[in-house]
Amino acid sequence: QVQLVESGGGSVEAGGSLRLSCAASELSLAKYRMAWFRQAPGREREAVSRISRSGTTFYSDSVKGRFTISRDGAKNTVYLQMNSLKPEDTAMYYCAAGDAPATFTTWSREAMYVYWGQGTQVTVSS
């Protein structure tokens, strides 16, 4: 059974850092476009970042310059390094894997992803 498992969430003060990890079983992440989404209470889930199979990255405007997505093929893991965290970054963070071709405008659509993790909570206090 394919599973994506996120870890690394927690509670930090504004300005702090966290590194989220997304590990997979029964799935080679190198074959997929990987993305991180987040969902804050009362809000829709939004795309945060993605990394293509070739390693090309993209970020939403709200996290650009603060977050870095990367992948480690040997560990079959994708990371999201989050620096200079703000209270508005508080959310449940999900990783997702997709294999359909995506464009600049479609990569952020949930329907483009086949596998999802259960999420890890990030709470940033002011």
Side-chain angles (χ1 to χ4, degrees), residues 71-82:
R71 60 165 87 229
D72 185 329
K75 295 183 178 180
N76 202 32
T77 300
V78 174
Y79 302 100
L80 185 68
Q81 177 67 44
M82 305 186 297

Side-chain angles (χ1 to χ4, degrees), residues 76-97:
N76 202 32
T77 300
V78 174
Y79 302 100
L80 185 68
Q81 177 67 44
M82 305 186 297
N83 299 328
S84 302
L85 283 162
K86 304 175 181 180
E88 51 263 45
D89 294 318
T90 295
M92 185 72 79
Y93 283 72
Y94 301 88
C95 68

Side-chain angles (χ1 to χ4, degrees), residues 18-65:
L18 286 172
R19 188 177 77 158
L20 306 183
S21 299
C22 173
S25 61
E26 308 296 333
L27 191 71
S28 174
L29 297 186
K31 298 180 180 180
Y32 292 84
R33 177 184 66 257
M34 299 299 298
W36 287 94
F37 287 74
R38 67 185 181 186
Q39 186 169 22
R43 302 188 66 176
E44 293 185 356
R45 189 154 53 184
E46 63 171 346
V48 172
S49 180
R50 69 100 166 118
I51 184 166
S52 69
R53 284 171 287 189
S54 63
T56 304
T57 60
F58 191 81
Y59 303 91
S60 66
D61 289 343
S62 60
V63 306
K64 194 175 299 181

